């Protein structure tokens, strides 16, 4: 079983911060900015949007995922973004929510 300690997972809640501040704090790795919206009862398709940000270079990816919740699309989006990383690096995931990771690690411990 993988634990939060095994992967060096940390949660840091930041409110009222700026993109510049986040970039300066996490400049030693790749920042993955992820956002998304889930499928709605009105027929709207779930969509994720990710930006990989490394030393001023960015890659933008997005996709639609019918039937997925907002958390699901953001987790899948982050996974797809990680596929673009070609060498060992620190990864920092910046998301508007904790994506269920905190509760998941509490259950596993």
């Amino acid at each position: 079983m993988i634990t939060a300690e095994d992967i060096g997972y940390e949660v840091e809640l930041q409110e009222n911060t700026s993109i510049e501040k986040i970039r300066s704090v996490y400049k030693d790795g790749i920042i993955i900015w992820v956002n998304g919206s889930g499928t709605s009862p009105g027929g709207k398709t779930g969509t994720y949007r990710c930006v990989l940000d490394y030393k001023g270079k960015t890659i933008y990816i997005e996709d639609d995922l019918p039937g997925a919740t907002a958390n699901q699309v953001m987790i899948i989006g982050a996974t797809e973004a990680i596929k673009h990383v070609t060498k060992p690096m620190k990864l920092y995931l910046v998301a508007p929510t904790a994506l269920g990771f905190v509760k998941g690690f509490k259950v596993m411990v």
Side-chain angles (χ1 to χ4, degrees), residues 27-106:
K27 63 185 171 210
D28 64 331
I30 297 172
I31 303 170
I32 299 174
W33 307 84
V34 62
N35 196 353
S37 59
T39 302
S40 71
K44 181 181 172 192
T45 300
T47 302
Y48 68 79
R49 290 161 295 285
C50 296
V51 175
L52 281 82
D53 187 351
Y54 179 65
K55 295 186 178 183
K57 297 178 183 171
T58 59
I59 296 173
Y60 179 79
I61 59 172
E62 73 174 275
D63 201 2
D64 295 330
L65 299 170
T69 67
N71 275 0
Q72 288 169 336
V73 297
M74 286 188 281
I75 291 168
I76 291 168
T79 302
E80 290 300 313
I82 290 169
K83 292 178 181 178
H84 290 268
V85 178
T86 59
K87 62 182 180 177
M89 294 286 299
K90 286 187 178 182
L91 298 176
Y92 299 99
L93 180 63
V94 179
T97 69
L99 301 174
F101 290 128
V102 174
K103 184 177 180 183
F105 281 124
K106 284 181 183 176

Side-chain angles (χ1 to χ4, degrees), residues 7-26:
I7 62 172
Y9 174 81
E10 297 176 20
V11 173
E12 186 176 326
L13 176 63
Q14 295 187 7
E15 295 180 4
N16 301 318
T17 191
S18 68
I19 291 171
E20 292 79 19
K21 182 176 179 184
I22 290 173
R23 282 181 172 151
S24 70
V25 170
Y26 303 119

